[in-house]
């Protein structure tokens, strides 16, 4: 196994990987089909397919309010605290899709980690307001059969349609690997 640079994001990627963990782009080289299938079988839970934090663009409205509040000298501390809370919430939230699960880490002072097995995901809905479409971000509603949190919203994702495709593809692969079949109504 060796490392090569991704042609999209220049991140180092294993030659055995089926896609870049940073951007999800397929590798430029083509490994033999038989070898590629066996690598997929050997992968473990720590093999991240995609990982990101919410985009700061989702806070545009709040940042605008903070700017207006900061024009009044008395409200500068309030504006700063509002901005800081939104900024830290974005930086301390991380969405990760591995080959077996969707993991959501969040929390500013305390930490919460929510894992959803990919074979449990039933549907992934894309939701974008007009402002989000103009900013190139969106929200994904993940509908699953998870007992703790069956519906999870992934907020402020850059290129949400690509993330939706990655999540659906990985969920389908996980269902095939686990031997799980879905029943249609």
């Amino acid at each position: 196994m060796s490392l090569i640079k991704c042609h999209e994001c220049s991140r180092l990627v294993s030659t055995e990987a089926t896609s870049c963990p940073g951007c999800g782009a397929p590798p430029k080289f083509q490994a033999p089909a038989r070898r590629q299938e066996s690598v997929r079988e050997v992968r473990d839970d720590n093999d991240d397919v995609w990982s990101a934090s919410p985009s700061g663009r989702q806070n545009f409205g709040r940042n605008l309010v903070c700017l207006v509040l900061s024009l009044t000298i008395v409200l500068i501390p309030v504006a700063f605290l509002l901005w800081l809370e939104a900024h830290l919430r974005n930086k301390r939230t991380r969405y990760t899709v591995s080959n077996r699960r969707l993991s959501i880490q969040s929390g500013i002072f305390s930490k919460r980690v929510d894992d959803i097995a990919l074979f449990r995901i039933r549907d992934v809905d894309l939701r974008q307001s007009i402002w989000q479409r103009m900013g190139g971000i969106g929200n994904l509603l993940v509908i699953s059969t998870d007992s703790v949190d069956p519906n999870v919203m992934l907020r402020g994702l850059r290129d949400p349609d690509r993330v939706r495709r990655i999540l659906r593809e990985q969920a389908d692969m996980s269902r095939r690997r686990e031997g799980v079949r879905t029943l249609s109504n």
Side-chain angles (χ1 to χ4, degrees):
M1 175 183 85
S2 61
L3 297 175
I4 60 169
K5 275 192 175 182
C6 174
H7 61 90
E8 292 286 330
C9 67
S10 300
R11 198 173 188 186
L12 289 178
V13 181
S14 167
T15 54
E16 296 179 358
T18 57
S19 64
C20 173
C23 66
K28 281 285 189 181
F29 64 90
Q30 200 55 271
R34 177 170 272 224
R35 168 118 183 169
Q36 211 170 21
E37 289 174 6
S38 65
V39 169
R40 222 178 255 158
E41 298 292 325
V42 174
R43 290 175 142 186
D44 61 357
D45 286 342
N46 298 328
D47 195 8
D48 294 346
V49 176
W50 173 86
S51 184
S53 290
S55 172
R57 295 176 191 166
Q58 75 172 346
N59 295 332
F60 178 75
R62 181 179 277 208
N63 292 344
L64 193 60
V65 168
C66 290
L67 179 67
V68 170
L69 286 175
S70 68
L71 294 176
T72 308
I73 293 177
V74 176
L75 295 177
I76 287 177
V78 173
F80 177 73
L81 289 175
L82 284 174
W83 173 84
L84 183 65
E85 186 268 335
H87 178 73
L88 287 176
R89 189 174 350 106
N90 274 4
K91 292 299 177 191
R92 300 305 302 165
T93 300
R94 188 97 188 141
Y95 306 123
T96 305
V97 176
S98 72
N99 62 332
R100 295 193 184 272
R101 61 188 75 254
L102 166 65
S103 180
I104 303 161
Q105 294 182 0
S106 60
I108 296 174
F109 297 111
S110 60
K111 183 176 181 179
R112 177 181 176 183
V113 179
D114 188 16
D115 285 336
I116 300 173
L118 288 179
F119 70 85
R120 293 187 179 280
I121 293 177
R122 291 177 43 211
D123 197 12
V124 181
D125 292 339
L126 172 62
R127 306 209 172 165
Q128 282 181 307
S129 67
I130 190 160
W131 305 112
Q132 287 176 322
R133 288 180 67 189
M134 290 184 343
I137 62 172
N139 301 331
L140 291 181
L141 176 64
V142 178
I143 302 167
S144 71
T145 59
D146 188 54
S147 59
V148 176
D149 249 346
N151 298 336
V152 176
M153 184 72 76
L154 308 181
R155 299 182 186 282
L157 300 175
R158 292 180 195 92
D159 197 4
D161 196 41
R162 181 180 69 86
V163 176
R164 185 174 129 260
R165 285 193 308 270
I166 289 171
L167 196 52
R168 282 187 169 180
E169 178 184 298
Q170 292 299 318
D172 288 343
M173 285 174 35
S174 180
R175 277 193 290 276
R176 281 193 300 271
R177 185 174 40 251
E178 298 291 329
V180 176
R181 296 186 340 192
T182 57
L183 299 174
S184 57
N185 295 344

